[in-house]
Short mmCIF file of all heavy atoms in Angstrom, two decimals:
data_model
loop_
_atom_site.label_atom_id
_atom_site.label_comp_id
_atom_site.label_asym_id
_atom_site.label_seq_id
_atom_site.Cartn_x
_atom_site.Cartn_y
_atom_site.Cartn_z
N MET A 259 1.35 -14.25 -3.50
CA MET A 259 1.94 -13.03 -3.98
C MET A 259 2.70 -12.38 -2.83
O MET A 259 2.22 -12.30 -1.71
CB MET A 259 0.84 -12.09 -4.48
CG MET A 259 1.39 -10.76 -4.94
SD MET A 259 0.23 -9.70 -5.78
CE MET A 259 -0.82 -9.19 -4.47
N THR A 260 3.89 -11.91 -3.13
CA THR A 260 4.73 -11.26 -2.13
C THR A 260 5.01 -9.82 -2.57
O THR A 260 5.31 -9.56 -3.74
CB THR A 260 6.06 -12.01 -1.97
OG1 THR A 260 5.78 -13.35 -1.61
CG2 THR A 260 6.92 -11.38 -0.90
N VAL A 261 4.87 -8.89 -1.62
CA VAL A 261 5.19 -7.48 -1.87
C VAL A 261 6.13 -7.00 -0.78
O VAL A 261 6.25 -7.64 0.26
CB VAL A 261 3.92 -6.59 -1.91
CG1 VAL A 261 2.99 -7.01 -3.04
CG2 VAL A 261 3.18 -6.61 -0.59
N VAL A 262 6.78 -5.89 -1.03
CA VAL A 262 7.67 -5.29 -0.03
C VAL A 262 7.04 -3.98 0.43
O VAL A 262 6.78 -3.09 -0.39
CB VAL A 262 9.07 -5.05 -0.62
CG1 VAL A 262 9.97 -4.37 0.41
CG2 VAL A 262 9.69 -6.36 -1.07
N VAL A 263 6.76 -3.87 1.73
CA VAL A 263 6.14 -2.68 2.30
C VAL A 263 7.14 -2.04 3.26
O VAL A 263 7.54 -2.67 4.24
CB VAL A 263 4.83 -3.02 3.06
CG1 VAL A 263 4.22 -1.76 3.65
CG2 VAL A 263 3.85 -3.72 2.14
N ASN A 264 7.54 -0.82 2.94
CA ASN A 264 8.51 -0.09 3.76
C ASN A 264 9.74 -0.95 4.07
O ASN A 264 10.22 -0.99 5.20
CB ASN A 264 7.87 0.42 5.05
CG ASN A 264 6.80 1.47 4.78
OD1 ASN A 264 6.64 1.96 3.67
ND2 ASN A 264 6.05 1.80 5.80
N GLY A 265 10.21 -1.67 3.05
CA GLY A 265 11.41 -2.47 3.19
C GLY A 265 11.22 -3.85 3.79
O GLY A 265 12.17 -4.61 3.90
N GLU A 266 9.98 -4.21 4.16
CA GLU A 266 9.71 -5.50 4.79
C GLU A 266 8.83 -6.35 3.88
O GLU A 266 7.78 -5.91 3.41
CB GLU A 266 9.00 -5.27 6.13
CG GLU A 266 8.79 -6.51 6.94
CD GLU A 266 8.18 -6.18 8.29
OE1 GLU A 266 8.63 -5.22 8.94
OE2 GLU A 266 7.24 -6.90 8.68
N SER A 267 9.24 -7.58 3.64
CA SER A 267 8.51 -8.49 2.76
C SER A 267 7.23 -8.98 3.43
O SER A 267 7.22 -9.32 4.62
CB SER A 267 9.41 -9.67 2.41
OG SER A 267 8.75 -10.53 1.52
N HIS A 268 6.13 -9.02 2.65
CA HIS A 268 4.83 -9.51 3.13
C HIS A 268 4.27 -10.50 2.12
O HIS A 268 4.13 -10.17 0.95
CB HIS A 268 3.83 -8.35 3.29
CG HIS A 268 4.15 -7.43 4.40
ND1 HIS A 268 3.61 -7.57 5.66
CD2 HIS A 268 4.95 -6.34 4.46
CE1 HIS A 268 4.07 -6.61 6.44
NE2 HIS A 268 4.89 -5.84 5.73
N ASP A 269 3.94 -11.70 2.57
CA ASP A 269 3.30 -12.69 1.72
C ASP A 269 1.79 -12.51 1.86
O ASP A 269 1.23 -12.72 2.93
CB ASP A 269 3.71 -14.10 2.14
CG ASP A 269 3.13 -15.17 1.23
OD1 ASP A 269 2.64 -14.82 0.13
OD2 ASP A 269 3.16 -16.35 1.60
N LEU A 270 1.15 -12.10 0.77
CA LEU A 270 -0.28 -11.79 0.82
C LEU A 270 -1.15 -12.95 0.38
O LEU A 270 -2.37 -12.87 0.48
CB LEU A 270 -0.57 -10.56 -0.05
CG LEU A 270 0.21 -9.31 0.31
CD1 LEU A 270 -0.13 -8.20 -0.68
CD2 LEU A 270 -0.09 -8.87 1.73
N GLY A 271 -0.56 -14.00 -0.15
CA GLY A 271 -1.35 -15.11 -0.64
C GLY A 271 -1.89 -14.79 -2.02
O GLY A 271 -1.20 -14.93 -3.01
N ALA A 272 -3.12 -14.32 -2.09
CA ALA A 272 -3.78 -14.00 -3.35
C ALA A 272 -3.58 -12.54 -3.73
O ALA A 272 -3.03 -11.76 -2.96
CB ALA A 272 -5.26 -14.31 -3.24
N GLU A 273 -4.06 -12.20 -4.92
CA GLU A 273 -4.01 -10.81 -5.37
C GLU A 273 -4.80 -9.93 -4.42
O GLU A 273 -5.83 -10.35 -3.88
CB GLU A 273 -4.62 -10.66 -6.76
CG GLU A 273 -3.64 -10.77 -7.88
CD GLU A 273 -4.26 -10.33 -9.20
OE1 GLU A 273 -5.49 -10.43 -9.36
OE2 GLU A 273 -3.50 -9.88 -10.05
N VAL A 274 -4.32 -8.72 -4.23
CA VAL A 274 -5.00 -7.78 -3.33
C VAL A 274 -4.83 -6.37 -3.90
O VAL A 274 -3.86 -6.08 -4.60
CB VAL A 274 -4.43 -7.89 -1.89
CG1 VAL A 274 -3.01 -7.42 -1.81
CG2 VAL A 274 -5.30 -7.16 -0.90
N SER A 275 -5.80 -5.51 -3.60
CA SER A 275 -5.74 -4.12 -4.04
C SER A 275 -4.94 -3.30 -3.03
O SER A 275 -4.64 -3.77 -1.92
CB SER A 275 -7.15 -3.55 -4.17
OG SER A 275 -7.75 -3.47 -2.88
N VAL A 276 -4.63 -2.07 -3.40
CA VAL A 276 -3.95 -1.17 -2.48
C VAL A 276 -4.79 -1.01 -1.21
O VAL A 276 -4.28 -1.14 -0.09
CB VAL A 276 -3.67 0.20 -3.14
CG1 VAL A 276 -3.13 1.19 -2.13
CG2 VAL A 276 -2.72 0.05 -4.32
N GLY A 277 -6.08 -0.76 -1.36
CA GLY A 277 -6.97 -0.61 -0.21
C GLY A 277 -7.04 -1.88 0.62
O GLY A 277 -7.09 -1.82 1.85
N GLY A 278 -7.05 -3.03 -0.04
CA GLY A 278 -7.06 -4.30 0.68
C GLY A 278 -5.79 -4.50 1.50
O GLY A 278 -5.83 -5.01 2.61
N LEU A 279 -4.65 -4.07 0.94
CA LEU A 279 -3.40 -4.16 1.68
C LEU A 279 -3.43 -3.26 2.91
O LEU A 279 -3.04 -3.67 4.00
CB LEU A 279 -2.22 -3.78 0.79
CG LEU A 279 -0.87 -3.68 1.51
CD1 LEU A 279 -0.43 -5.05 2.01
CD2 LEU A 279 0.17 -3.07 0.60
N VAL A 280 -3.91 -2.03 2.74
CA VAL A 280 -4.00 -1.09 3.87
C VAL A 280 -4.86 -1.70 4.97
O VAL A 280 -4.49 -1.69 6.14
CB VAL A 280 -4.57 0.28 3.40
CG1 VAL A 280 -4.94 1.15 4.58
CG2 VAL A 280 -3.56 0.99 2.50
N ALA A 281 -6.00 -2.28 4.59
CA ALA A 281 -6.88 -2.92 5.58
C ALA A 281 -6.21 -4.13 6.22
O ALA A 281 -6.27 -4.31 7.45
CB ALA A 281 -8.19 -3.34 4.92
N LYS A 282 -5.55 -4.95 5.41
CA LYS A 282 -4.89 -6.16 5.92
C LYS A 282 -3.79 -5.81 6.93
O LYS A 282 -3.57 -6.53 7.89
CB LYS A 282 -4.30 -6.94 4.75
CG LYS A 282 -3.71 -8.27 5.12
CD LYS A 282 -3.32 -9.04 3.88
CE LYS A 282 -4.26 -10.21 3.83
NZ LYS A 282 -4.01 -11.24 2.90
N LEU A 283 -3.14 -4.67 6.72
CA LEU A 283 -2.09 -4.23 7.64
C LEU A 283 -2.65 -3.52 8.87
O LEU A 283 -1.91 -3.13 9.76
CB LEU A 283 -1.10 -3.30 6.92
CG LEU A 283 -0.28 -3.95 5.80
CD1 LEU A 283 0.56 -2.91 5.08
CD2 LEU A 283 0.59 -5.07 6.35
N GLY A 284 -3.98 -3.31 8.89
CA GLY A 284 -4.63 -2.68 10.05
C GLY A 284 -4.37 -1.19 10.13
O GLY A 284 -4.43 -0.61 11.21
N LEU A 285 -4.12 -0.57 8.97
CA LEU A 285 -3.84 0.87 8.94
C LEU A 285 -5.13 1.66 8.71
O LEU A 285 -6.07 1.15 8.09
CB LEU A 285 -2.84 1.18 7.83
CG LEU A 285 -1.47 0.52 8.00
CD1 LEU A 285 -0.64 0.69 6.73
CD2 LEU A 285 -0.76 1.10 9.19
N PRO A 286 -5.16 2.90 9.16
CA PRO A 286 -6.34 3.73 8.90
C PRO A 286 -6.40 4.10 7.42
O PRO A 286 -5.37 4.10 6.74
CB PRO A 286 -6.09 4.98 9.76
CG PRO A 286 -4.61 5.06 9.85
CD PRO A 286 -4.12 3.64 9.89
N ASP A 287 -7.58 4.39 6.92
CA ASP A 287 -7.68 4.78 5.51
C ASP A 287 -7.53 6.28 5.31
O ASP A 287 -7.61 6.77 4.20
CB ASP A 287 -8.98 4.26 4.89
CG ASP A 287 -10.22 4.85 5.53
OD1 ASP A 287 -10.10 5.50 6.58
OD2 ASP A 287 -11.32 4.64 4.98
N ARG A 288 -7.27 7.01 6.38
CA ARG A 288 -7.04 8.46 6.29
C ARG A 288 -5.73 8.78 6.99
O ARG A 288 -5.31 8.10 7.91
CB ARG A 288 -8.17 9.23 6.94
CG ARG A 288 -9.49 9.01 6.22
CD ARG A 288 -10.45 10.16 6.50
NE ARG A 288 -11.66 9.97 5.74
CZ ARG A 288 -11.91 10.59 4.59
NH1 ARG A 288 -11.04 11.42 4.08
NH2 ARG A 288 -13.04 10.38 3.96
N GLY A 289 -5.09 9.86 6.53
CA GLY A 289 -3.87 10.31 7.18
C GLY A 289 -2.63 9.54 6.75
O GLY A 289 -1.59 9.65 7.38
N ILE A 290 -2.77 8.73 5.68
CA ILE A 290 -1.60 8.03 5.17
C ILE A 290 -1.47 8.27 3.67
O ILE A 290 -2.44 8.63 3.00
CB ILE A 290 -1.65 6.51 5.44
CG1 ILE A 290 -2.82 5.84 4.71
CG2 ILE A 290 -1.70 6.21 6.93
CD1 ILE A 290 -2.80 4.32 4.78
N ALA A 291 -0.29 8.07 3.15
CA ALA A 291 -0.04 8.13 1.71
C ALA A 291 0.59 6.81 1.30
O ALA A 291 1.39 6.24 2.04
CB ALA A 291 0.89 9.29 1.38
N VAL A 292 0.20 6.33 0.13
CA VAL A 292 0.70 5.06 -0.37
C VAL A 292 1.33 5.28 -1.73
O VAL A 292 0.73 5.90 -2.61
CB VAL A 292 -0.43 4.01 -0.49
CG1 VAL A 292 0.11 2.69 -1.01
CG2 VAL A 292 -1.15 3.82 0.83
N ALA A 293 2.55 4.77 -1.91
CA ALA A 293 3.22 4.80 -3.20
C ALA A 293 3.54 3.37 -3.60
O ALA A 293 3.97 2.56 -2.78
CB ALA A 293 4.50 5.62 -3.13
N VAL A 294 3.29 3.05 -4.87
CA VAL A 294 3.60 1.73 -5.41
C VAL A 294 4.62 1.92 -6.52
O VAL A 294 4.36 2.66 -7.49
CB VAL A 294 2.34 1.04 -5.96
CG1 VAL A 294 2.68 -0.30 -6.59
CG2 VAL A 294 1.29 0.86 -4.87
N ASP A 295 5.77 1.30 -6.36
CA ASP A 295 6.86 1.42 -7.33
C ASP A 295 7.18 2.89 -7.63
O ASP A 295 7.41 3.27 -8.78
CB ASP A 295 6.52 0.66 -8.62
CG ASP A 295 6.36 -0.83 -8.38
OD1 ASP A 295 7.05 -1.37 -7.49
OD2 ASP A 295 5.53 -1.46 -9.07
N GLY A 296 7.16 3.72 -6.60
CA GLY A 296 7.53 5.12 -6.72
C GLY A 296 6.41 6.05 -7.17
O GLY A 296 6.61 7.25 -7.26
N GLU A 297 5.22 5.52 -7.44
CA GLU A 297 4.08 6.34 -7.87
C GLU A 297 3.07 6.46 -6.73
O GLU A 297 2.56 5.46 -6.24
CB GLU A 297 3.39 5.68 -9.08
CG GLU A 297 2.15 6.41 -9.53
CD GLU A 297 1.35 5.62 -10.57
OE1 GLU A 297 1.82 4.58 -11.05
OE2 GLU A 297 0.24 6.07 -10.88
N VAL A 298 2.80 7.70 -6.32
CA VAL A 298 1.80 7.93 -5.26
C VAL A 298 0.43 7.57 -5.81
O VAL A 298 0.06 7.99 -6.92
CB VAL A 298 1.84 9.40 -4.77
CG1 VAL A 298 0.72 9.66 -3.78
CG2 VAL A 298 3.19 9.71 -4.16
N ILE A 299 -0.30 6.79 -5.03
CA ILE A 299 -1.63 6.33 -5.45
C ILE A 299 -2.68 7.10 -4.64
O ILE A 299 -2.80 6.90 -3.43
CB ILE A 299 -1.81 4.82 -5.20
CG1 ILE A 299 -0.65 4.02 -5.81
CG2 ILE A 299 -3.16 4.34 -5.73
CD1 ILE A 299 -0.50 4.15 -7.30
N PRO A 300 -3.46 7.98 -5.30
CA PRO A 300 -4.52 8.70 -4.58
C PRO A 300 -5.55 7.72 -4.02
O PRO A 300 -5.80 6.66 -4.60
CB PRO A 300 -5.16 9.58 -5.66
CG PRO A 300 -4.21 9.59 -6.81
CD PRO A 300 -3.41 8.33 -6.70
N ARG A 301 -6.15 8.08 -2.89
CA ARG A 301 -7.11 7.19 -2.23
C ARG A 301 -8.23 6.76 -3.18
O ARG A 301 -8.72 5.63 -3.10
CB ARG A 301 -7.71 7.85 -0.99
CG ARG A 301 -8.49 6.86 -0.17
CD ARG A 301 -8.99 7.36 1.17
NE ARG A 301 -8.16 8.38 1.76
CZ ARG A 301 -8.57 9.60 2.07
NH1 ARG A 301 -9.83 9.94 1.89
NH2 ARG A 301 -7.77 10.48 2.61
N GLY A 302 -8.62 7.61 -4.08
CA GLY A 302 -9.66 7.27 -5.04
C GLY A 302 -9.27 6.16 -6.00
O GLY A 302 -10.12 5.62 -6.71
N ARG A 303 -7.99 5.82 -6.05
CA ARG A 303 -7.51 4.75 -6.93
C ARG A 303 -6.98 3.55 -6.15
O ARG A 303 -6.25 2.71 -6.68
CB ARG A 303 -6.41 5.29 -7.86
CG ARG A 303 -6.98 6.27 -8.88
CD ARG A 303 -6.00 6.72 -9.94
NE ARG A 303 -5.13 5.65 -10.42
CZ ARG A 303 -3.81 5.80 -10.60
NH1 ARG A 303 -3.22 6.94 -10.35
NH2 ARG A 303 -3.09 4.80 -11.05
N TRP A 304 -7.36 3.44 -4.87
CA TRP A 304 -6.88 2.32 -4.05
C TRP A 304 -7.49 0.99 -4.46
O TRP A 304 -7.16 -0.04 -3.89
CB TRP A 304 -7.14 2.59 -2.57
CG TRP A 304 -6.14 3.52 -1.95
CD1 TRP A 304 -5.17 4.26 -2.57
CD2 TRP A 304 -6.00 3.81 -0.56
NE1 TRP A 304 -4.45 4.98 -1.67
CE2 TRP A 304 -4.94 4.73 -0.42
CE3 TRP A 304 -6.67 3.40 0.57
CZ2 TRP A 304 -4.54 5.23 0.81
CZ3 TRP A 304 -6.28 3.89 1.80
CH2 TRP A 304 -5.21 4.79 1.92
N ASP A 305 -8.37 0.98 -5.45
CA ASP A 305 -8.89 -0.28 -5.98
C ASP A 305 -7.89 -0.92 -6.95
O ASP A 305 -8.08 -2.04 -7.40
CB ASP A 305 -10.24 -0.08 -6.65
CG ASP A 305 -10.20 0.91 -7.80
OD1 ASP A 305 -9.21 1.67 -7.93
OD2 ASP A 305 -11.18 0.95 -8.57
N ARG A 306 -6.79 -0.21 -7.22
CA ARG A 306 -5.74 -0.72 -8.11
C ARG A 306 -5.15 -2.00 -7.52
O ARG A 306 -4.80 -2.06 -6.34
CB ARG A 306 -4.64 0.34 -8.26
CG ARG A 306 -3.42 -0.13 -8.99
CD ARG A 306 -2.40 0.97 -9.05
NE ARG A 306 -1.11 0.47 -9.47
CZ ARG A 306 -0.09 1.25 -9.79
NH1 ARG A 306 -0.21 2.55 -9.72
NH2 ARG A 306 1.04 0.72 -10.17
N MET A 307 -5.04 -3.03 -8.34
CA MET A 307 -4.50 -4.31 -7.89
C MET A 307 -2.98 -4.24 -7.85
O MET A 307 -2.36 -3.63 -8.72
CB MET A 307 -4.96 -5.43 -8.81
CG MET A 307 -6.48 -5.63 -8.82
SD MET A 307 -7.21 -5.87 -7.18
CE MET A 307 -6.72 -7.55 -6.85
N LEU A 308 -2.41 -4.86 -6.84
CA LEU A 308 -0.96 -4.91 -6.70
C LEU A 308 -0.42 -6.08 -7.51
O LEU A 308 -1.14 -7.03 -7.82
CB LEU A 308 -0.58 -5.08 -5.23
CG LEU A 308 -0.98 -3.93 -4.32
CD1 LEU A 308 -0.77 -4.30 -2.87
CD2 LEU A 308 -0.18 -2.68 -4.68
N HIS A 309 0.85 -6.00 -7.85
CA HIS A 309 1.49 -7.10 -8.57
C HIS A 309 2.57 -7.73 -7.69
O HIS A 309 3.02 -7.12 -6.72
CB HIS A 309 2.10 -6.59 -9.89
CG HIS A 309 3.15 -5.53 -9.70
ND1 HIS A 309 4.47 -5.84 -9.45
CD2 HIS A 309 3.07 -4.18 -9.70
CE1 HIS A 309 5.16 -4.72 -9.30
NE2 HIS A 309 4.33 -3.69 -9.45
N ASP A 310 2.96 -8.93 -8.03
CA ASP A 310 4.00 -9.64 -7.28
C ASP A 310 5.27 -8.81 -7.28
O ASP A 310 5.63 -8.20 -8.30
CB ASP A 310 4.24 -11.00 -7.92
CG ASP A 310 4.96 -11.96 -7.00
OD1 ASP A 310 4.74 -11.89 -5.78
OD2 ASP A 310 5.75 -12.77 -7.51
N ASP A 311 5.95 -8.76 -6.16
CA ASP A 311 7.21 -8.02 -5.97
C ASP A 311 7.05 -6.50 -6.02
O ASP A 311 8.03 -5.79 -6.22
CB ASP A 311 8.28 -8.45 -6.98
CG ASP A 311 8.70 -9.89 -6.78
OD1 ASP A 311 8.76 -10.33 -5.61
OD2 ASP A 311 8.97 -10.58 -7.78
N ALA A 312 5.82 -5.98 -5.86
CA ALA A 312 5.61 -4.53 -5.84
C ALA A 312 6.38 -3.93 -4.65
O ALA A 312 6.45 -4.52 -3.57
CB ALA A 312 4.13 -4.20 -5.71
N GLN A 313 6.96 -2.77 -4.88
CA GLN A 313 7.67 -2.03 -3.83
C GLN A 313 6.73 -0.94 -3.34
O GLN A 313 6.40 -0.02 -4.09
CB GLN A 313 8.95 -1.41 -4.40
CG GLN A 313 9.93 -2.44 -4.94
CD GLN A 313 10.49 -3.33 -3.86
OE1 GLN A 313 10.94 -2.86 -2.82
NE2 GLN A 313 10.46 -4.63 -4.10
N ILE A 314 6.29 -1.04 -2.10
CA ILE A 314 5.27 -0.14 -1.56
C ILE A 314 5.84 0.63 -0.39
O ILE A 314 6.50 0.07 0.47
CB ILE A 314 4.04 -0.96 -1.11
CG1 ILE A 314 3.51 -1.75 -2.31
CG2 ILE A 314 2.97 -0.06 -0.51
CD1 ILE A 314 2.68 -2.94 -1.93
N GLU A 315 5.56 1.92 -0.40
CA GLU A 315 5.92 2.78 0.72
C GLU A 315 4.63 3.35 1.28
O GLU A 315 3.80 3.87 0.54
CB GLU A 315 6.84 3.92 0.28
CG GLU A 315 8.20 3.48 -0.19
CD GLU A 315 9.05 2.87 0.92
OE1 GLU A 315 8.98 3.34 2.07
OE2 GLU A 315 9.78 1.90 0.63
N ILE A 316 4.46 3.24 2.59
CA ILE A 316 3.30 3.82 3.26
C ILE A 316 3.82 4.75 4.35
O ILE A 316 4.63 4.35 5.19
CB ILE A 316 2.42 2.72 3.90
CG1 ILE A 316 1.93 1.76 2.81
CG2 ILE A 316 1.24 3.35 4.64
CD1 ILE A 316 1.12 0.59 3.33
N VAL A 317 3.38 6.01 4.26
CA VAL A 317 3.81 6.99 5.25
C VAL A 317 2.59 7.59 5.92
O VAL A 317 1.51 7.68 5.35
CB VAL A 317 4.68 8.11 4.63
CG1 VAL A 317 5.98 7.55 4.12
CG2 VAL A 317 3.96 8.82 3.52
N THR A 318 2.77 7.99 7.18
CA THR A 318 1.70 8.58 7.97
C THR A 318 1.96 10.07 8.13
O THR A 318 3.09 10.49 8.42
CB THR A 318 1.68 7.93 9.39
OG1 THR A 318 1.55 6.52 9.22
CG2 THR A 318 0.52 8.45 10.21
N ALA A 319 0.91 10.84 7.93
CA ALA A 319 1.01 12.29 8.13
C ALA A 319 1.08 12.58 9.63
O ALA A 319 0.40 11.95 10.43
CB ALA A 319 -0.20 12.99 7.52
N VAL A 320 1.94 13.53 10.01
CA VAL A 320 2.09 13.88 11.42
C VAL A 320 1.94 15.40 11.55
O VAL A 320 2.44 16.14 10.73
CB VAL A 320 3.49 13.50 11.96
CG1 VAL A 320 3.40 13.01 13.38
CG2 VAL A 320 4.22 12.53 11.10
N GLN A 321 1.27 15.81 12.61
CA GLN A 321 1.15 17.24 12.87
C GLN A 321 2.31 17.68 13.78
O GLN A 321 2.87 16.87 14.50
CB GLN A 321 -0.15 17.55 13.57
CG GLN A 321 -1.35 17.47 12.65
CD GLN A 321 -2.60 17.89 13.39
OE1 GLN A 321 -2.80 17.57 14.54
NE2 GLN A 321 -3.45 18.62 12.69
N GLY A 322 2.59 18.93 13.73
CA GLY A 322 3.64 19.44 14.60
C GLY A 322 4.50 20.45 13.87
O GLY A 322 4.30 20.74 12.71
N GLY A 323 5.48 20.92 14.57
CA GLY A 323 6.31 21.89 13.89
C GLY A 323 7.48 22.30 14.70
O GLY A 323 7.91 21.86 15.67
#
């Protein structure tokens, strides 16, 4: 299965959940937001399985002003 994360293609092999993708990419599970095909996925729903060719955006919250 291949997905696009922040414009970069990733071959994941087998099916994976949103949370599994975050872990596989080595990202923290807090302080980030994940959108799949333009829909923001709350952390409580990160068990949602991704589909082939999913367009995923992951952004990190930053403090400052």
Side-chain angles (χ1 to χ4, degrees):
M259 177 170 72
T260 302
V261 298
V262 178
V263 180
N264 294 350
E266 186 176 316
S267 182
H268 291 266
D269 183 14
L270 303 177
E273 267 192 333
V274 67
S275 66
V276 173
L279 173 66
V280 168
K282 186 172 248 190
L283 294 175
L285 298 171
D287 62 350
R288 297 203 176 261
I290 64 171
V292 180
V294 177
D295 297 328
E297 176 190 353
V298 174
I299 309 299
R301 191 173 331 121
R303 291 188 40 224
W304 281 9
D305 59 345
R306 172 182 167 170
M307 297 306 285
L308 296 171
H309 61 85
D310 198 34
D311 295 324
Q313 299 294 312
I314 302 158
E315 293 294 323
I316 300 176
V317 295
T318 304
V320 217
Q321 286 184 320

